[in-house]
């Protein structure tokens, strides 16, 4: 296919994708089928965000819009899996896929793939560079090559809101490329080449004045003045007849130059063309926009949204909302000043004082009278006039019906404050700023401002404060920007305080801001105060929402959800969700995802300051939220809540382990912070219970560093806990963690300490746990006699463990292992069945899956592959639901053996491939390495030397593989040589 052939460096293998037309893909010369249009829409949403993480929710919204499928985001991984199968090269491992799975979603990783949109942007940049350097012929060539990549309407036939928006953007980009190319052709004297293409384009875009101006320039340069004037007359006739407006100033300038017969024609400015200004009788224009601050920074995306072309037939309303001090007014003023030339009847600015401490909210009647005077339709300040709101609003609409105005309404409190103030003239624009999201106001664009990015915030602070720009000074500025939460109001206050100050004074201010108790006090200067700005928003909240805001500052995590607030408030989750939505509308809480929220740092500081006045409320809120995390940790643990003998015993709001696990997953890496905060505020027992509950959750996900950090933080404090069980329980947790990593010496040390402490405390439960840990890992090290001795101690305690089904089931599983090793197969079988029954009773899916794996392995060792398939199939389903990588890979490996024994080599090979693919997504635990070695030997034994060698090479970087690395390599090399020798002899 010619559109992408020039992009290819390896035409036989390279993946090439085209979006500038119907979505297509090739690998080499082979065309790839991309499946149904919804899957193509999802692929487009990833391709057009190269290198960026796209969440499942973003993909769902972009592909389905307001009508998602009933399965919700669960459909996304299915579509991604299908796309990988279609796009990835045969035999390519998951790590080399063009679609990466990352925390939070998926990401298109171009690697060697080539996308026409990216190439088009690169070629267009070459054209702009050539034009900037004066090489117009090279610019024309580059623009032409970029345009050749378009093959019809971009993303033709692809459904969904994201594709629709990108289709418009890419079509506009194509038109801009044409305008740039033609402009360079005209400037280099190649006007004859441009005329034909311009005639076709002006026919396709009859109202585009920029294209008409280019065509007139081309005709004029070719001494075709009459034809140029005909173009102008035709465009003017269409604009007047169909839209009721005259041509804009740019097209009129070209027309005047042609009429004069001059040689120099004005260059055409490249911009989307809006309907021009109507020719009317109008009052003198009035411009009231405030003086713009000179250090406005960032906000490019938001500014583009405000400046986007508007419908000339209606009044356009654009709303900007955001927290106090985030820069809403500055953004609106910048946009209005940029657009004011398009509004010849005036640019008006009104402060509505919706959130001012020193001014009452501006009454709508008073504002309407002022607006009427501004357009010459009202009397003096003291003259009599109508008082009724409806009558004043009608007069305002009548006065503005023939005007094209730009009106900025700053700091609105509610939608009903704004609606009567909207003008009536077609083509007018209204920009509204408010701390609240004015959902009752019809707007074509809603922009919710967040604080600046760190680079932008540091840049703003530098421009305000000045400085020499030394490395130390830049570091101090970035620290200040971070402490100001990148909030423009706070940055301006700090900037004013450090202007012309020595560096030591800047660093001193940073030290004071680092203290939460002083930070808000420091962020005040003259009439500007961050705390006052927040207080006004807080004071306008209803009483119930004020309480919700106060306790949110006590959340132990930055990101939170309705369950967190419900626990803080001791209210139902629906009540908490309504409060969060209301606080988000008031811009005191930021929506992060569909169900997660956060307080910005400075807002959280203010919330804690307000909460400090209610110490009883603080104590209740903290107890509630720490108990929520404890319930989630215990419910998500495979041990089951019955294994935790102390502390609250309920499951909280969680229906089961899957729900609790999903909630903890959403908390991400903040779980250790929860434990740290509970320690810091004196909830040591809660901290220990949370950490103990998280041991299984964290270790099964391979998050050993987080587990160790939490347990080692608490261990020195365990003696101060009210729950005396914790001194032994935390050490047992460390033993489990180190043992699962294959670090048996450290595990043995911690289990031994736990056993000694529990013996002294006469705690049979903790004693059995520690002894079982010692027995388990002694068995894994091959010390069978020692393992049996430890389990004999556990057996003596068994009568006292009736309440702990998980521990009893685990002990039975280990007993079954020992019987299996000793060849006592019937006893092993019975122990495994007893353990499975207890795992089902206690709701412990991991114990259930691991015991099913052992039962299946026992059947394989007895030469009964058909009987092994049943328990192994159940174990595979459990492992997949759990996301337990070692268990899942181990089960797939054993299923592969069963299929091979049943005479199904193809099914066995596919299961072995799946086992390797699953294992390649995680690395480093002892069980993963053991499973990897088993799969290598299995591949070698079944003559799959290429697969075994590839899997071995990818595993050599793992920790703790050194002992077997040389031996495995030698065996594979020897087998390879034997195969080659046999092939040569044949």
């Amino acid at each position: 296919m010619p559109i992408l052939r020039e992009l290819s460096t390896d035409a036989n293998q390279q993946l090439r994708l085209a979006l500038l037309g119907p979505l297509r893909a090739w690998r080499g010369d082979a065309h790839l089928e991309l499946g149904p249009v919804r899957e193509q829409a999802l692929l487009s949403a990833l391709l057009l965000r190269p290198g960026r993480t796209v969440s499942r929710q973003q993909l769902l919204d972009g592909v389905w819009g307001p009508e998602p499928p009933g399965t919700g985001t669960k459909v996304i991984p299915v579509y991604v899996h299908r796309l990988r199968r279609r796009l990835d090269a045969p035999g390519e491992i998951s790590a080399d896929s063009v679609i990466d799975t990352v925390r939070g979603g998926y990401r298109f990783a171009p690697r060697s793939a080539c996308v026409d949109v990216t190439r088009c942007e690169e070629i267009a940049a070459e054209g702009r560079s050539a034009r900037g350097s004066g090489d117009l012929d090279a610019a024309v060539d580059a623009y032409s090559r970029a345009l050749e990549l378009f093959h019809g309407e971009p993303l033709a036939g692809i459904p969904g809101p994201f594709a629709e928006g990108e289709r418009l953007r890419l079509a506009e980009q194509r038109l801009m490329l044409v305008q740039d190319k033609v402009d360079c052709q005209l400037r280099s004297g190649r006007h004859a080449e441009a005329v034909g293409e311009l005639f076709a384009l002006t026919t396709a875009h009859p109202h585009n004045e920029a294209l008409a101006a280019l065509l007139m320039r081309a005709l004029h340069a070719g001494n075709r003045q009459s034809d140029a004037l005909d173009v102008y007359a035709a465009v003017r006739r269409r604009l007047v007849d169909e839209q009721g407006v005259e041509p804009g100033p740019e097209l009129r300038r070209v027309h005047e130059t042609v009429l004069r017969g001059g040689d120099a024609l004005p260059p055409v400015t490249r911009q989307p063309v809006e309907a021009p200004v109507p020719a009317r009788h109008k009052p003198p224009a009035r411009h009231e926009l405030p003086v713009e601050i000179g250090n406005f920074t960032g906000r490019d995306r938001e500014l583009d949204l405000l400046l986007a072309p508007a419908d000339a037939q209606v009044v356009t309303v654009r709303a900007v909302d955001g927290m106090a001090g985030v820069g809403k007014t500055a953004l609106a003023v910048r946009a209005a000043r940029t657009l004011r030339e398009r509004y010849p009847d005036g640019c008006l600015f009104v402060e509505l004082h919706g959130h001012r401490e020193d001014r009452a909210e501006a009454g709508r009647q008073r504002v309407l009278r002022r607006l009427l005077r501004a357009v010459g339709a009202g009397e003096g300040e003291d003259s009599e006039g109508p008082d009724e709101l409806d009558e004043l609003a009608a007069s305002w609409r009548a006065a503005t019906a023939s005007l094209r105005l730009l009106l900025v309404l700053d700091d609105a409190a509610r939608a009903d404050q704004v609606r009567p103030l909207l003008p009536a003239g077609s083509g007018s624009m209204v920009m509204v700023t408010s701390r609240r999201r004015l959902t009752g106001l019809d707007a074509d664009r809603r922009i919710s401002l967040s604080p600046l990015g760190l680079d932008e915030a540091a840049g703003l602070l530098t421009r305000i404060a000045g400085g020499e720009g030394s490395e130390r000074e830049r570091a101090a500025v970035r620290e200040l920007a971070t402490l100001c939460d990148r909030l423009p109001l706070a940055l301006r206050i700090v900037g004013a305080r450090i202007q012309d100050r020595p560096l030591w004074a800047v660093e001193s201010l940073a030290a004071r801001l680092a203290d939460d108790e002083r930070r808000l006090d420091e962020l005040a200067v003259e009439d500007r105060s961050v705390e006052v700005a927040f207080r006004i928003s807080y004071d306008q909240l209803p009483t119930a929402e004020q309480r919700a805001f106060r306790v949110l500052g006590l959340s132990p995590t930055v990101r939170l959800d309705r369950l967190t607030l419900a626990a803080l408030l001791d209210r139902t989750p629906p009540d908490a969700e309504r409060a969060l939505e209301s606080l988000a509308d008031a811009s005191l809480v930021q929506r992060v995802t569909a169900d997660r929220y956060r307080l910005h740092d400075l807002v959280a500081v203010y919330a804690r300051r307000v909460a400090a006045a209610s110490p009883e409320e603080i104590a209740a809120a903290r107890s509630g939220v720490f108990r929520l995390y404890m319930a989630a940790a215990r419910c998500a643990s495979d041990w089951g809540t019955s294994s935790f003998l102390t502390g609250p015993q309920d499951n909280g709001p969680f229906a089961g382990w899957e729900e609790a696990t999903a909630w903890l997953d959403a908390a991400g890496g903040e779980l250790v912070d929860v434990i740290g905060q509970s320690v810091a505020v004196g909830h040591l027992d809660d901290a220990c219970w949370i950490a103990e509950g998280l041991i299984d959750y964290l270790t099964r996900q391979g998050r050993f560093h987080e587990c160790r950090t939490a347990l080692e933080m608490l261990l020195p404090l365990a003696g101060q806990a009210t729950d005396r069980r914790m001194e032994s329980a935390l050490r047992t947790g460390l033993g489990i963690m180190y043992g699962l990593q294959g670090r048996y010496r450290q595990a043995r040390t911690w289990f031994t300490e736990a056993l000694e402490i529990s013996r002294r405390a006469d705690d049979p439960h903790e004693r059995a746990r520690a002894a079982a840990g010692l027995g388990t890992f002694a068995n894994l090290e091959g010390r069978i006699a020692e393992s049996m001795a430890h389990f004999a101690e556990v057996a003596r305690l068994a009568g006292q463990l009736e309440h702990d089904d998980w521990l009893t089931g685990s002990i039975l599983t280990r007993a079954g292992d020992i019987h299996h090793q000793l060849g006592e197969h019937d006893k092993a079988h019975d122990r495994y069945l007893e353990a499975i029954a207890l795992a089902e009773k206690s709701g412990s899916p991991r114990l259930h899956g691991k015991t099913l794996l052992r039962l299946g392995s026992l059947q394989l060792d007895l030469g009964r592959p058909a009987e092994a398939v049943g328990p192994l199939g159940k174990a595979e389903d459990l492992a997949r639901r759990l996301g337990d990588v070692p268990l899942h890979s181990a089960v797939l490996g054993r299923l592969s053996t069963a299929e091979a024994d049943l005479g199904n080599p193809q099914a066995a090979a596919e299961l072995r491939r799946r086992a390797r693919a699953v294992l390649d997504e995680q690395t480093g635990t002892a069980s993963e390495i053991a499973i990897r070695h088993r799969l290598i030997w299995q591949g070698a034994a079944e003559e799959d030397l290429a697969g075994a060698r590839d899997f071995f090479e990818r595993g050599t970087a793992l920790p703790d593989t050194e002992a077997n690395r040389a031996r495995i390599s030698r065996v594979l090399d020897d087998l390879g040589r034997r195969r080659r020798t046999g092939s040569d002899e044949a």
Side-chain angles (χ1 to χ4, degrees):
M1 201 70 184
I3 61 169
L4 285 174
R5 178 57 63 190
E6 71 130 337
L7 312 184
S8 178
T9 58
D10 182 355
N12 293 324
Q13 295 297 325
Q14 187 176 40
L15 177 65
R16 297 172 286 138
L17 300 119
L19 300 96
L20 299 176
L23 180 61
R24 291 164 293 173
W26 303 263
R27 185 169 290 281
D29 290 325
H31 182 269
L32 304 179
E33 291 297 328
L34 295 178
V37 291
R38 291 289 185 188
E39 291 180 21
Q40 295 184 36
L42 188 144
L43 176 60
S44 303
L46 292 170
L47 292 176
L48 289 167
R49 299 177 173 109
R52 290 164 51 194
T53 297
V54 188
S55 71
R56 292 185 182 184
Q57 190 62 48
Q58 285 177 300
L59 290 170
L60 194 74
D61 294 342
V63 174
W64 281 273
E67 298 181 359
T71 55
T73 57
K74 292 181 180 178
V75 75
I76 302 299
V78 177
Y79 279 19
V80 168
H81 174 70
R82 293 174 183 169
L83 287 168
R84 283 172 172 158
R85 289 197 326 191
R86 296 186 177 102
L87 294 175
D88 294 345
E92 195 165 67
I93 62 174
S94 59
D96 294 330
S97 174
V98 294
I99 302 178
D100 283 344
T101 300
V102 294
R103 184 179 291 275
Y106 300 94
R107 177 174 60 209
F108 170 58
R111 296 187 172 93
S112 62
C114 215
V115 183
D116 60 351
V117 173
T118 303
R119 184 58 180 147
C120 181
E121 293 169 352
E122 292 171 353
I123 299 172
E126 293 174 16
R128 290 191 294 271
S129 177
R131 182 174 62 178
S133 64
D135 190 349
L136 298 177
D137 289 338
V140 170
D141 176 67
Y143 290 135
S144 298
R145 285 189 286 118
L147 287 165
E148 287 174 1
L149 296 175
F150 285 86
H151 284 252
E153 181 184 48
L155 299 171
I158 302 298
F162 179 82
E164 182 60 32
E166 288 298 294
R167 193 161 27 247
L168 295 172
R169 180 182 71 83
L170 293 170
E172 184 67 25
Q173 180 180 337
R174 181 182 189 180
L175 200 57
M176 295 302 102
L177 285 170
V178 172
Q179 293 183 32
D180 287 342
K181 184 187 80 168
V182 170
D183 182 62
C184 291
Q185 286 175 320
L186 297 180
R187 288 164 59 189
S188 61
R190 298 161 61 178
H191 50 81
E193 300 176 18
V195 170
E197 185 173 15
L198 284 169
F199 266 122
L201 284 168
T202 52
T203 301
H205 303 277
H207 300 101
N208 191 313
E209 296 183 44
L211 290 174
L214 284 169
L215 178 56
M216 291 178 66
R217 290 176 62 197
L219 293 169
H220 178 68
N223 294 318
R224 298 171 60 182
Q225 281 78 7
S226 177
D227 290 340
L229 294 174
D230 286 345
V231 170
Y232 179 80
V235 173
R236 181 180 182 277
R237 184 167 54 253
R238 279 194 295 270
L239 291 172
V240 172
D241 292 348
E242 298 175 19
Q243 299 185 353
V245 296
E246 291 285 343
E250 190 171 330
L251 190 58
R252 292 200 301 269
R253 285 197 301 271
V254 176
H255 179 234
E256 291 168 3
T257 303
V258 174
L259 285 174
R260 291 195 308 268
D263 294 330
L265 281 165
V268 177
T269 303
R270 193 191 80 167
Q271 62 182 23
V273 179
E274 296 186 34
V277 181
R280 308 182 177 94
H281 297 293
K282 46 187 177 286
R286 180 163 173 167
H287 295 281
E288 301 179 344
L289 297 176
V291 175
E292 189 176 14
I293 56 174
N295 45 35
F296 182 89
T297 189
R299 307 298 193 197
D300 292 340
R301 185 187 68 83
E302 293 87 351
L303 197 58
D304 286 344
L305 289 172
L306 285 179
L307 298 178
D311 189 341
Q313 305 304 310
V314 299
V315 176
T316 297
V317 178
R318 290 180 177 165
V320 181
D321 61 80
M323 60 189 289
V326 79
K328 302 179 293 294
T329 303
L331 175 66
V333 170
R334 166 57 65 95
R337 295 185 75 85
T338 303
L339 292 172
R340 64 181 179 179
E341 296 301 324
R342 303 184 193 179
Y343 298 91
D345 298 320
C347 298
L348 307 180
F349 183 91
V350 178
E351 293 187 67
L352 298 179
H353 305 308
H355 303 87
R356 287 283 296 269
E357 190 175 46
D358 57 338
R359 297 286 296 273
E361 178 185 308
R364 291 171 293 182
Q365 289 94 328
R366 180 182 174 189
V367 172
L368 282 167
R369 290 194 189 94
R370 192 182 87 64
L371 288 172
L372 285 166
R373 290 195 300 274
V375 298
E379 303 299 329
E381 181 82 35
D382 300 325
S383 62
E384 293 186 4
D387 288 326
E388 292 295 327
L389 176 63
D390 290 345
E391 190 173 350
L392 279 168
S395 298
W396 168 242
R397 291 193 294 273
T400 57
S402 61
L403 302 179
R404 183 178 168 101
L405 291 170
L406 174 59
L407 173 61
V408 179
L409 299 173
D410 187 47
D411 194 19
R414 303 171 311 282
D416 63 4
Q417 187 185 21
V418 172
R419 281 192 291 266
L421 311 182
L422 301 180
S426 297
S428 293
M429 179 179 286
V430 181
M431 294 185 189
V432 185
T433 73
S434 176
R435 296 188 190 182
R436 299 195 65 86
R437 187 171 178 84
L438 304 180
T439 53
L441 183 68
D442 293 329
D444 84 322
R445 295 280 195 282
R446 294 187 189 276
I447 300 166
S448 295
L449 283 189
S450 296
L452 296 168
L454 182 56
D455 289 340
E456 293 174 336
L460 174 60
L461 196 53
T462 299
R463 283 194 289 279
I464 296 172
E468 299 176 1
S470 67
E471 186 66 32
R472 182 178 165 192
E473 202 166 42
R474 287 195 296 272
V477 165
R478 290 180 73 84
E479 183 181 2
L480 279 176
T482 301
L483 291 168
C484 289
D485 203 13
R486 311 178 315 284
L487 190 69
L489 172 61
L491 292 167
R492 296 185 190 285
I493 291 172
V494 167
R497 293 188 61 181
I498 65 175
Q499 277 177 331
D500 301 321
R501 296 290 180 90
L503 180 58
W504 64 264
V506 176
E507 293 173 332
S508 175
L509 178 59
R512 295 196 299 276
L513 286 173
D515 181 357
D516 276 1
E517 297 296 323
R518 300 182 57 180
R519 191 181 309 184
L520 292 176
D521 298 328
E522 297 289 343
L523 293 177
V525 60
E526 295 185 357
D527 62 340
R528 287 180 170 181
S529 168
V530 171
E531 181 173 9
V532 169
F534 291 162
R535 185 171 66 239
I536 295 169
S537 294
Y538 172 77
D539 287 344
Q540 293 183 353
L541 294 173
T543 301
E545 289 170 20
Q546 286 183 341
R547 181 181 172 225
F549 174 74
R550 290 194 300 270
V551 299
L552 281 176
L554 307 175
S555 169
T557 58
V558 174
R559 289 160 54 108
L560 48 93
D561 69 342
R562 67 178 197 158
L563 295 186
T564 308
L565 182 56
L568 287 163
L569 288 172
D570 192 21
R571 301 285 297 276
T572 67
D575 287 343
E577 186 170 25
R578 283 189 289 271
L580 282 167
E581 285 297 306
S582 182
L583 290 171
D585 286 341
S587 297
L588 285 168
V589 169
Q590 178 193 18
R591 293 181 185 90
V592 180
T593 64
D595 59 356
R596 290 269 157 175
Y597 304 78
R598 63 161 291 174
L599 289 177
H600 285 291
D601 291 350
L602 288 176
V603 179
V605 171
Y606 178 70
R608 288 192 290 273
R609 173 170 287 193
V610 178
S614 306
E616 292 182 1
E617 186 176 81
I618 291 176
R622 283 178 170 155
S623 293
V625 77
F626 292 142
R627 297 300 164 87
L628 172 69
Y629 276 91
M630 186 206 67
R634 289 182 169 184
C635 192
S637 171
D638 195 59
W639 303 352
T641 52
S642 65
S643 292
F644 302 96
L645 303 186
T646 49
Q649 298 297 307
D650 63 273
N651 280 354
F654 306 105
W657 66 267
E658 287 181 293
E659 193 173 299
T661 297
W663 189 79
L664 290 172
D665 288 345
E670 294 190 82
L671 295 175
V672 175
D673 295 337
V674 175
I675 296 169
Q677 185 174 340
S678 59
V679 171
V681 297
H683 286 248
L684 182 56
D685 281 344
D686 288 331
C688 291
W689 293 332
I690 295 169
E692 182 192 26
L694 287 173
I695 291 167
D696 179 69
Y697 168 80
L698 292 173
T699 55
R700 73 170 178 251
Q701 295 189 1
R703 294 161 66 178
F704 298 109
H705 176 73
E706 292 174 65
C707 186
R708 184 174 67 252
T709 300
L711 294 173
E712 290 180 349
M713 177 200 315
L714 293 170
L715 200 60
L717 305 172
Q720 303 171 31
T722 304
D723 186 354
R724 306 308 302 165
R725 187 175 63 83
M726 287 298 106
E727 289 196 77
S728 175
L730 297 180
R731 287 171 168 83
T732 296
L734 282 166
I736 293 170
M737 183 207 69
Y738 281 115
L740 290 173
Q741 290 180 284
R743 300 165 70 176
Y744 299 129
R745 182 179 57 81
Q746 293 97 322
R748 193 160 51 249
T749 299
W750 289 113
F751 281 131
T752 300
E753 287 188 19
L755 184 59
E756 291 172 355
I757 291 171
S758 59
R759 282 173 176 166
R760 289 196 301 269
D762 193 20
D763 185 335
H765 182 268
E766 291 305 320
R767 182 178 167 187
R769 274 186 175 275
L774 284 167
T776 296
F777 292 110
N779 186 34
L780 290 174
E781 290 183 274
R783 301 196 311 275
I784 307 300
E786 180 182 336
S787 174
M788 293 178 69
H790 287 301
F791 277 112
E793 179 174 2
V794 174
R796 290 193 295 273
L797 298 166
Q800 303 175 61
L801 303 177
E802 295 178 0
H803 60 279
D804 193 338
D805 294 329
W806 180 87
L807 181 55
T808 305
S810 297
I811 294 166
L812 287 169
T813 297
R814 295 304 178 190
D817 291 344
I818 293 173
H819 288 308
H820 189 173
Q821 290 167 327
L822 295 174
E824 299 170 349
H825 296 137
D826 290 341
K827 291 182 179 179
H829 183 270
D830 291 344
R831 296 298 82 76
Y832 289 149
L833 289 181
E834 292 175 36
I836 288 170
L838 284 172
E840 290 177 330
K841 177 185 174 184
S842 63
S844 301
R846 196 175 184 208
L847 175 62
H848 192 183
K850 290 164 73 172
T851 311
L852 285 167
L853 169 61
R854 286 169 164 80
L855 180 60
S857 297
L858 174 64
Q859 301 289 14
L860 286 176
D861 290 349
L862 293 173
R864 303 169 185 166
E867 295 179 38
V869 169
L872 290 174
K874 294 178 182 177
E876 196 268 337
D877 179 65
L878 284 167
R880 181 167 34 79
R881 287 167 56 200
L882 277 165
D884 189 320
V885 169
L887 178 59
H888 196 187
S889 183
V891 171
L892 290 171
R894 301 306 283 160
L895 277 169
S896 171
T897 300
E899 291 292 347
D901 291 348
L902 289 168
N904 302 319
Q906 290 183 335
E910 172 61 18
L911 285 164
R912 193 166 62 252
R913 184 200 64 77
R914 286 177 57 198
R916 292 171 177 171
V918 168
L919 202 55
D920 271 348
E921 295 179 6
Q922 299 281 336
T923 59
T925 71
S927 54
E928 289 167 7
I929 293 166
I931 296 161
R932 180 182 294 273
H933 290 168
R934 181 188 302 159
L935 290 170
I936 293 170
W937 296 124
Q938 191 175 351
E942 296 182 17
E943 296 296 305
D944 181 14
L945 292 187
R949 167 63 69 181
D950 174 67
F951 197 52
F952 168 69
E953 294 292 345
R954 281 182 277 126
T956 54
L958 301 186
D960 299 321
T961 57
E962 197 66 47
N964 289 305
R965 185 177 300 165
R967 184 165 63 96
I968 296 172
S969 183
R970 283 196 301 273
V971 170
L972 291 174
D973 288 343
D974 182 56
L975 288 171
R977 281 194 298 271
R978 292 182 189 178
R979 173 176 288 183
R980 288 193 297 273
T981 301
S983 176
D984 292 342
E985 291 174 353

